[in-house]
Each structure stands twice: as C-alpha cells, then as structure tokens.
C-alpha cells in the first residue's frame, strides 16, 4: 500500500511540469504520463534453495521525449516493482512454498531512439535504478541496479493520437541478492500506455 501511495504522490508532484508540454512535431519535445505492467523474474545463480518464477506488477512514470527529425532522446522517471517470485521445495513434505519478492525501484532510463517509419521508434539505453526498500524483508540486498533497456515506442493515430505504447525489456546487470552465496539479477518485460501532453497548436494567422 505504501508503494502505491508513493506512485500517486510522484504523479501529483510532477503534474505542474507536465503542464508545460512541448510538441509532437519532427523537431521539438513534450512530456507524457505512463502506466503499465511489468512481467518480472530474477536470473539466479550460485547457492540458493530458491527457484525463480515470474510475477506481474504495476509500473507508473513520467517521460520527456525530444525529437530531432528521425532521432529521439527520451529520459524517464519510473516507479516499478521487480523481483518476481520464488518457489522453495519443502524438505520432508510434498509441495513447494511460494514467496513474492518486493523489489521497489525508482528508475531513470535514458533512451536514444531512431524512427525508421513514422509512428515507430526503436529505442535503447541504460536504466539507473535505486531500491526504495533494500535490506527489508523480501526486498533486494543492494540499493543500486544498472540495467540495459531495449524496446519500441509506437504512436497511435487518428482518434487515439494522444496515446503511445511502450514495449521494452530491461536486462539487469548488478547483483541484487540479499544472500551472500547467491547472485540475483533483475529481468523485466514491460508494457505501458503513454498519454502524451502535447501543447495546444497555435492558430494560423492569415
């Protein structure tokens, strides 16, 4: 519950900035608000009884997208849960126990993009993440995580022209395990809908 309040607070805090949106022209920038879901899993190696499984969690964020002809730079601020689930085989009894990891991050991806055809942007870049609950129960063992992001930004047309779709994969590079003999690395597949805050078009003077 604490995380969702934090997400709402961040959205309200950034709303004055979003009001100053820029443009959707071939040259210019604009802000946007995004919300979506993440399919998370940990890549596990070393000595541990845990078997990694996927889990579904929300993500929420804001972005600034600046376009110069066919090239785009797009920094974002995202609040998201990662970590996935663990299953552990119970010794002396049939079945398995399931534990949900709660790795809450404030992430800043900085993406560079190329537009091969109008409406589609191929993007990639680093993602810098700070864990909001490192050291807590079911939280990560490290405060910082560095990831590599690759994905697609798709702009809808016609009546949905204020909306875009983000599909991306985040490949974590840092060991975030709280266990001394195990290595955990974040993996996340994210799908988000963006509401673009374009500026009002100026009337054409005659």
């Amino acid at each position: 519950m604490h995380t969702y309040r934090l997400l709402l607070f961040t959205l309200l805090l950034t709303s004055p900035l979003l009001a100053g949106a820029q443009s959707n022209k071939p040259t210019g920038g604009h802000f946007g608000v995004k919300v979506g879901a993440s399919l998370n899993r940990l890549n596990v190696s070393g000595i541990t009884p845990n078997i990694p499984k996927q889990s579904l969690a929300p993500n929420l964020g804001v972005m600034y997208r600046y376009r110069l002809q066919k090239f785009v730079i797009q920094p974002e601020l995202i609040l998201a849960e990662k970590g996935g689930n663990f299953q552990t085989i119970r010794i002396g009894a049939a079945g398995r126990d399931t534990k949900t990891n709660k790795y809450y991050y404030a992430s800043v991806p900085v993406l560079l993009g190329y537009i091969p055809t109008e409406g589609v942007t191929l993007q990639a870049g680093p993602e810098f993440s700070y864990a909001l609950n490192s050291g807590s129960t079911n939280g990560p063992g490290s405060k910082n995580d560095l990831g590599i992001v690759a994905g697609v930004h798709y702009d809808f047309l016609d009546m949905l022209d204020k909306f875009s779709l983000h599909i991306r994969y985040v490949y974590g590079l840092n060991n975030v395990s709280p266990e001394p003999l195990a290595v955990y690395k974040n993996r996340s597949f994210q799908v988000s809908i963006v509401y673009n805050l374009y500026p009002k078009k100026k009337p054409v003077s005659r």
Side-chain angles (χ1 to χ4, degrees):
M1 189 67 182
H2 173 74
T3 301
Y4 296 104
R5 289 178 181 175
L6 183 60
L7 295 177
L8 179 60
F9 174 75
T10 301
L11 180 60
L12 293 175
L13 187 65
T14 54
S15 58
L17 295 174
L18 298 175
Q22 300 293 314
S23 73
N24 59 341
K25 297 179 181 180
T27 299
H30 70 273
F31 285 94
V33 181
K34 58 184 295 184
V35 61
S38 304
L39 190 62
N40 302 314
R41 182 186 180 98
L42 286 171
N43 180 273
V44 175
S45 60
I47 302 174
T48 177
N50 297 318
I51 302 170
K53 298 292 181 180
Q54 294 178 338
S55 69
L56 192 64
N59 64 69
L60 175 68
V62 293
M63 70 164 201
Y64 179 76
R65 177 179 169 90
Y66 187 85
R67 175 177 175 178
L68 181 61
Q69 300 303 327
K70 285 187 171 292
F71 297 93
V72 171
I73 182 169
Q74 186 173 300
E76 302 178 3
L77 171 62
I78 300 174
L79 296 174
E81 177 186 322
K82 297 180 183 179
N85 293 334
F86 278 152
Q87 283 189 350
T88 305
I89 299 175
R90 288 183 286 179
I91 300 175
R96 298 180 178 183
D97 291 325
T98 299
K99 179 180 76 172
T100 300
N101 297 304
K102 300 289 186 180
Y103 294 5
Y104 299 132
Y105 287 98
S107 300
V108 180
V110 181
L111 306 180
L112 299 178
Y114 175 74
I115 303 173
T117 184
E118 199 63 39
V120 176
T121 307
L122 305 179
Q123 296 177 310
E127 179 179 274
F128 307 94
S129 298
Y130 180 81
L132 303 176
N133 66 330
S134 63
S136 65
T137 303
N138 296 344
S142 174
K143 291 184 178 180
N144 299 307
D145 190 20
L146 173 64
I148 301 297
V149 181
V152 177
H153 172 112
Y154 176 76
D155 293 314
F156 294 105
L157 303 175
D158 301 326
M159 295 182 65
L160 297 176
D161 63 346
K162 287 185 177 293
F163 293 89
S164 301
L165 176 68
H166 284 175
I167 301 175
R168 64 182 56 163
Y169 186 74
V170 184
Y171 185 93
L173 300 176
N174 289 8
N175 178 18
V176 296
S177 172
E179 301 177 26
L181 300 180
V183 175
Y184 298 168
K185 295 186 178 181
N186 282 305
R187 303 288 186 262
S188 183
F189 178 75
Q190 300 175 353
V191 178
S192 305
I193 292 293
V194 181
Y195 182 74
N196 297 292
L197 296 166
Y198 298 126
K200 294 181 179 180
K201 295 181 179 180
K202 296 181 181 180
V204 179
S205 58
R206 296 181 179 177

